[in-house]
Structure formats: C-alpha cells, structure tokens
Amino acid sequence: MRYPNLGGWLGAAAFALSPVVAAMTPPGAEDQACRPVVPHDADAGIAITLAGGGTKASSFAMGVLAASVTSQLDLSRDPTRFDGSLFWQSDAVSSVSGGSYAAFYAYSRLIRNRPEAGAPQPADKNLQRYFRDCIPAGLQSRFSPELITAEAARRGMPEQDLFCPTPVGAGSRTDPEALAAARAYWNGEGLRRDTVHQQFVRCHADILTWQRCEFGNSVGARIRSNTTYGALAGVWLSSLPMAWVANTIFDWPINLSPPRIVYREGIGISYGLEPVDARALERDISEAAQVGAVRHFVIDQGAERGETSFANHTPRDSAEAGLLDRGDDVRIRPDPARMTFAGLASLYADGRQSPPRWVINATAAPSRSILGWFGRNDTNFDRDIFHMTADQQCAGGVGAINVDAALPDLENHDRSFEKGRRNASLLTAVNASAAFFDANQRVYGRSFVRFSAALAQHVLNLNWGLDLRNIDEAGVPKASDARRAIHLALPAPLYLGESYAAYVTDHDPVYVRLVDGGSSDNLGAYAPIVEGVKDVIVSDHAEDKGGSMGDLCLLRNELLIRKGLHLHVPGLAGWPRGCYDDLVLRRSSRRMAGTTQAARDAQAALEGVGDAMDAHGEPRVRSYPIWGWPYPFLAGCVSHDASPDSCLTAPRTRLWIIKPAFDYPDWRRRQTAERSADDRVLTRCGEDDTLPCESSAFLARLLAGKGAIDDNLLTPIFPQDSTVSMTINSYADLVGAYRELGRHYTAIATGELDKVRAEGAGSPRFAALLCHQAAHPIPAAMADKTLGLSLPDYEFALEKWTRAERDAARYRRDLPFAGCSTLGLPLFAPLTVGDRVPKAF
C-alpha cells in the first residue's frame, strides 16, 4: 500500500525528538512474538471456532455451544477430563465478534460459579442448565402429537413442558391467568426453571435496545425500539463536536461514541446477567433489577455527582427483595467483578479438569488513522489477528500487550470499573472482538469503497474499536513517554506525520487500534489450524446469502500464503475455484514487501491464477446453493500436500464445517405438508436428514407472513438474515430458530467426530465421509442469481443438482459409506495467463 505523505516531514521531525523503545516484529518472526493459544498437546486435540456476524452469529453459536455441552464423546473420550461432552473434551473455544457474545455467555457463568480463592465449596461446572429451553407456544400448532412426543424425548423434557407459556408483561392486567401460568412455569422446579436463562437471552436479543424484554416482533415492539433508537440518536449527535476535537483535530485515545457504550453494555446485559425467576421476563431490565429478578449487575446511582456506586445487588433467592432505593431512573450495568483475564485464568487451575481455553479474537489494525483508509486489502493473519487469552494478549505484528495496563484508562472513562482498578474487563475484550463499526475496519477490499466507508464512520463517530496503549507484558511502554506526549499534543496533520514516520521505519506505534475480529480471520480458525489442532469444528455462520464461502476462502488463501498449507473441501465442487476474488486475494504491495519471500511467491502464484481466469473469461467467484444444502456439515482437511487425496491418509487437521444452510425444496416436499395456501405444518423434523423441529416450525410460520421470501430467488430469507439488520432488530423466535439449527448440526457432526477419533490416525470413517461428499459435491454456479427456484415445484435449475442427486448426497447416520482410494479431484497448480484454467479452479 502506498500511503500519502500527509505531514510526513513535519511528523518525522517530532518523531526524531523522542527515542524509540522497541521495533515491530520482523517478517517471519510472528510465530515467536506470541505464545501458542492452544495447550501443548493440541496435535491430538479439539477446537471449537465460533465465527463473527452480530446477533445472527451469536444465536447460531449459542446452538453450537449448547450441543457441545450435551453431546457426548462415548467412544473417544479422555477419562481425565471433567466429563465426556464435546465442550469439556475440547482444548480451545476460539471466538470472533458475534461468536464472542455466545462464548461470553458460557465463560461468564463458569467464572462466577467458581468459588473465590479459599472458599470451601467446589466449582459448579454444570453448563447444561444454561442451554435448556422450551419451544415458543406460538409454534405448537405446527406440530402433530407424534412430533411433540419425539421432540420432548430429544430434549429430555416432559411433553407438557415442551412449549413455553406465552410471556405476559407484569404491567398488563388484561390477562391475569396468563401471567399466573407464565410464573408457574418459570418459577417451577427442574427443567422448567432452567429454561428461563435462554428465554432471557431471547427477549434481549436487540442488544442496542437491551433495556426492554421483547419476545415478539409486533408493531408495538418496533415502536418501542424505534423510540429507544431515537433517544440514542439524540445523544449520539450531541457527541459529534467533542469526538471531532478528540479524534480528528487531535489523536487522543478516547472513544466518545455513545452507540459503542450502549453496544458494549447490551452484550453484557443480554449475555452476562442471570435471571432469577419469571419476573425477569416480564419487565424492562431496570424494573427486573429493582424487584430482585436478575443478578450480577451494578447500579449507577451517582450520575449527578460524576461518580458511580458499584454495590452489587445479587439476590440469594427469588424471595429476597431487590433494590432498596427503587426508582425509574436506576441505571443498570453488568457487574465487572471477576470478569477479568485474572478471573478467566482461575478456570485453568484444575489441570485436565479445566474448561477449554477461551481465545477472544480481534484485529490489530495496521493503522489507526486516515493513513489506513487508503489502499487495498491489507490482510495478514500472522501479523493482524490479536488473540486474547487468560495468559497473554498478542498479535504477531505488534507483539504482546499487557491489556490490564493498556485498557483501564478507557474503561474508567466509561465508568465501568471502580476508580483505580488495574484490570481489563472481558466484556471490553468482547467489545473489541465485535467492533464491526469502525473507520479502521478492514472488510472493504477496494480503495474507494474503503475510504468512503471509513470517512463516513469517522465523521459520524461510529468508531467502536478500542485504542490500547502499546505496553509490553512487563508493563513497560514500547514507545517512550516523551514520544507519547508529543503525539498527544500534536494537532492534525502533524500527528499523522509522527504515525507515518513510525510506520515506514517499522517502529512500534504509541497506540494500537483493536477492531472487529472479522477484519482478519472471521472464522477464528487460523490459530488452531496453524498450531496443529487435530479436529477443528468451524462454525461458518456469518452472512453468506450468495454462498460464496468468502470467509473460508480467505482462510484458505492465508494458510497457503503464510504457512504453505492447503485447505481441502471435497464436498464443494471445484473448490477452491471461487477463492480468487479481489476481496479475498489481493494484498497491498507495501505490506507484502514486509513479509517473507515464500509468502510473496505464494501470493504471486495465486494472483497468476486469478489473472489467467480473467484472460479466459472465468468468473473469480462461485456461488454454492445455500437453500440446496444436503449436508449437516462439510468434511475437510488441512495438509502440507496440494493433493486433496492427502485428506484420506494423513490429514494434518480434520475440519468439520457447519453452516446455516439447508435443502429448502426438500423441506417443502418431504418435511412439511400444505394445510392451506402459504400455510404448512410439519410432517418430519429433528432427524439427521431434516431440519430441527423448532427451526422448521418457525420457518413454516414465517412463510405464512409477508416479506419472508426473496422474490427473485423464491427462497426464504432464513437462515441468511442480514448481520446488521438482525443485530439491531431481532426477536425471540428468530434467535431460537438459528440456535436450534446450530445445535442440530453440531450434534450430528459430534457423533461423527467421536467415531473418527476412536479409530485414530488414518480413520476409515473420515475417509468414507470425504469419499461420499466428493462423489456428491455441492455444485457451484457462476453467480448467485442463477441459484433461484422455479415454479410450480420449487426446484433448482442448477445443473447436476436435481432432487435425485441431492437425495443421493443426503446424510444419514446409518449410511454405509464406501471408502475410496482417491477423491478424483485435481491438484492445485499455479497458472500463467497463457495457461488453460482447469475446472478445479
């Protein structure tokens, strides 16, 4: 990338006034800059990766985690672990953005349920109760009695408890019987009471309007949400002049974006608070706190004094009163107590009985000012992924940063910690992982689009990223105090010159900007794969309506460029033919010059393939039919060998790729029946080759309304809702549908993973899975517009993907997979413009 020399000569003079304490990590040394994020026996281990994508991602990821705590590895379990579930048998949970919401939900409970040091009681490690749930009552009419019996058995619930009562607001006096029924259900014993946890997450799904517990998507709910957004907009607009001074005229590490603070606390409220009883589902959050219906919060009672009272009002039981000083203006915040990296580290004091290592992934932006708004995609996973674990926070490019010392200034500004605390909050780390609005995000690959988006977000103060002071693990600043003082004192454009001088001389910046983890590896899978984890469950649940597999393509390209590793997915026809689009392929010349020769050669080879495709009129992107997906998971592998056949014998890493996709024509034909026009009931659900029951019933009801179908493709919007729209306008039933789809697919994949691990290296079962999917690969189209359905039978016009072909591909647990000696797939080979492009690309 070629930066403009904005005040460079002036800034260079200021830069020269101060000694530089440390230099950036040299090319090729990134692996030595950070410690491994997965424990040392990772080569035989398991990792669960949760991709980014806002509330949509968190909902699907919640289902992945739900299956992981209930699905047992009966054949391959390690008896030294806490229990035989996938979660406790895993070595790492790696999360990005929306996936980090769901991970925070699980790990915050593990931390709080662990006694303080010296306490006599044992740690409560039971996570299953936090993932139990009932089905919304409004979906019951879609079920037959036989399906109700089967689904209740799958969930381990009595049939009479399978469907939730209709939630009723406590302020409503129109239906006291319904209110009494709801309280009787959620205040009952056993499994009924457990479901209140997931119900609480459902009703606070709109994390920017988290104050309200809304179950429906009614007109009234939308009006209330819009009113809240209107109030937030007023505060937001009033912040603009101050933000322009702090972040434009000067470059101060102060984030004055009100939406960021609301977003951060919304994640903490929705995923960190625990409901005590049914009253938590009847009220706005401040009212629930005042009556003692939720716990793990603090209150802000001192706004008029510029102070905050952090008394933790945690009721011991549902009978205990709530706040003594009740009032409508009580401000509720997530309780920061123990939600620190030290609190996370306490979970790993039990050796093999400890939970998997939680890896929170953000992106250390190569630049934190206008200097980074120009140029093409700057992706470099080795240098940019900022891993945050209990024992280290580090990116290959900037090295380790002591986040506990680097973040408190920001957090005290937010008033989210008591004055003088020197611990960074896990919630703030999750906020950084999920900062998808920021002028320095990297998701736009083209120069003009990136600059325009960055300028708009900066002017509108939509900067959700966080600035870390660049401090090493010993607490010593990597840039001197004098240089920091000069940087903070310089107005524009002089501070740009200081930053530019540091950049071109490869010296450590004064501050490091953390933005959304999706600006680098949105899957969170790079580190577990590079570190050699044997089995990686990749939950690829980001928005991908066109089926381009963009995040997987970017992962594939980075593995090849940085490590010489090949990612193979036999179940996708022509893979990796669609991985040559500029958005996932191009790298800036400035940053490629600062990498290894092997990386530059690999990049040149990939660009040669792309140029050859252009010369022969081959589109660089392929689209796979999201609504013609017969597999609950795709089997894949990563190996040092360019041949896909290497997956059959000695894969370095086995991949289990889960995606929110399904076979919609099959759902209409075989899993439902038409009751009347646009009204369907379920005939099958919850089996290996069908949708899960709740997701299926939700879809049937959704299609009876308006706006649920893409008129051009004749496919439903679900399960590829927009990331942004679902994050700012979600509702309980939609959240549950995504969660159950993730739970269903993960449970099936876990069953196969268990069989494969029991067989050991060179597993015949894994080879058979690969052979089956290679024999029935999902075909790719040249453009997503060709993936539409045709009336009257709602079938694909896509070649080689008829009903019979999808039926032959469909997964069944008892299917006797036949092995093969070769997958019959061509090798990857670099091309030149004069070469003919083989079908493999």
Side-chain angles (χ1 to χ4, degrees), residues 136-196:
L139 301 179
Q140 186 169 357
S141 64
R142 307 285 168 180
F143 287 77
S144 67
E146 293 77 18
L147 290 179
I148 290 174
T149 300
E151 181 63 9
R154 272 188 290 267
R155 297 194 181 208
M157 301 176 70
E159 289 183 33
Q160 64 270 23
D161 293 346
L162 181 61
F163 294 97
C164 319
T166 302
V168 180
S172 172
R173 296 292 178 264
T174 58
D175 197 346
E177 292 185 1
L179 180 61
R183 287 185 174 180
Y185 184 94
W186 280 301
N187 292 341
E189 298 299 325
L191 300 184
R192 284 186 173 192
R193 194 179 190 90
D194 289 347
T195 64
V196 73

Side-chain angles (χ1 to χ4, degrees), residues 578-601:
C579 295
Y580 297 91
D581 180 67
D582 275 354
L583 294 179
V584 297
L585 177 59
R586 296 297 180 189
R587 305 290 183 272
S588 69
S589 58
R590 171 69 179 85
R591 296 201 81 205
M592 285 305 298
T595 187
T596 64
Q597 185 61 50
R600 291 194 292 273
D601 291 344

Side-chain angles (χ1 to χ4, degrees), residues 333-506:
R333 290 171 173 269
D335 182 9
R338 304 180 68 190
M339 292 297 107
T340 63
F341 286 105
L344 183 60
S346 72
L347 297 180
Y348 305 113
D350 297 337
R352 303 287 289 176
Q353 297 278 311
S354 301
R357 185 78 55 90
W358 183 20
V359 186
I360 309 170
N361 297 281
T363 299
S367 174
R368 50 180 296 277
S369 67
I370 192 173
L371 298 176
W373 301 358
F374 298 89
R376 285 181 169 175
N377 194 332
D378 290 335
T379 300
N380 183 330
F381 283 9
D382 276 348
R383 299 187 72 82
D384 298 344
I385 300 174
F386 193 83
H387 305 292
M388 292 177 275
T389 65
D391 62 341
Q392 189 182 50
Q393 301 84 48
C394 186
V398 297
I401 293 179
N402 185 338
V403 173
D404 276 344
L407 269 181
D409 288 345
L410 168 78
E411 297 199 324
N412 287 338
H413 171 74
D414 286 350
R415 291 160 61 202
S416 53
F417 266 126
E418 293 174 287
K419 188 175 181 180
R421 286 286 294 274
R422 302 303 294 174
N423 297 105
S425 164
L426 290 177
L427 182 55
T428 298
V430 170
N431 181 188
S433 171
F436 60 86
F437 279 126
D438 196 88
N440 293 283
Q441 53 75 31
R442 323 300 298 168
V443 296
Y444 297 108
R446 295 181 175 86
S447 303
F448 176 76
V449 176
R450 171 178 292 176
F451 180 81
S452 300
L455 179 64
Q457 289 175 93
H458 186 80
V459 169
L460 293 174
N461 196 19
L462 267 177
N463 283 318
W464 291 6
L466 305 177
D467 287 317
L468 300 179
R469 189 176 178 190
N470 200 357
I471 299 175
D472 68 18
E473 290 187 282
V476 177
K478 300 179 186 179
S480 69
D481 289 339
R483 181 180 158 209
R484 174 173 174 257
I486 292 171
H487 182 93
L488 296 177
L490 291 175
L494 298 183
Y495 67 76
L496 295 175
E498 191 278 336
S499 298
Y500 179 65
Y503 181 85
V504 296
T505 57
D506 289 325

Side-chain angles (χ1 to χ4, degrees), residues 179-240:
L179 180 61
R183 287 185 174 180
Y185 184 94
W186 280 301
N187 292 341
E189 298 299 325
L191 300 184
R192 284 186 173 192
R193 194 179 190 90
D194 289 347
T195 64
V196 73
H197 297 283
Q198 285 292 316
Q199 290 292 308
F200 185 82
V201 173
R202 285 183 188 243
C203 78
H204 289 286
D206 287 349
I207 55 177
L208 291 180
T209 58
W210 47 262
Q211 299 91 338
R212 301 188 177 278
C213 179
E214 299 277 10
F215 279 91
N217 194 29
S218 64
V219 173
R222 290 194 291 271
I223 291 174
R224 288 188 289 273
S225 291
N226 290 338
T227 301
T228 303
Y229 283 129
L232 175 60
V235 177
W236 175 22
L237 292 175
S238 69
S239 74
L240 296 181

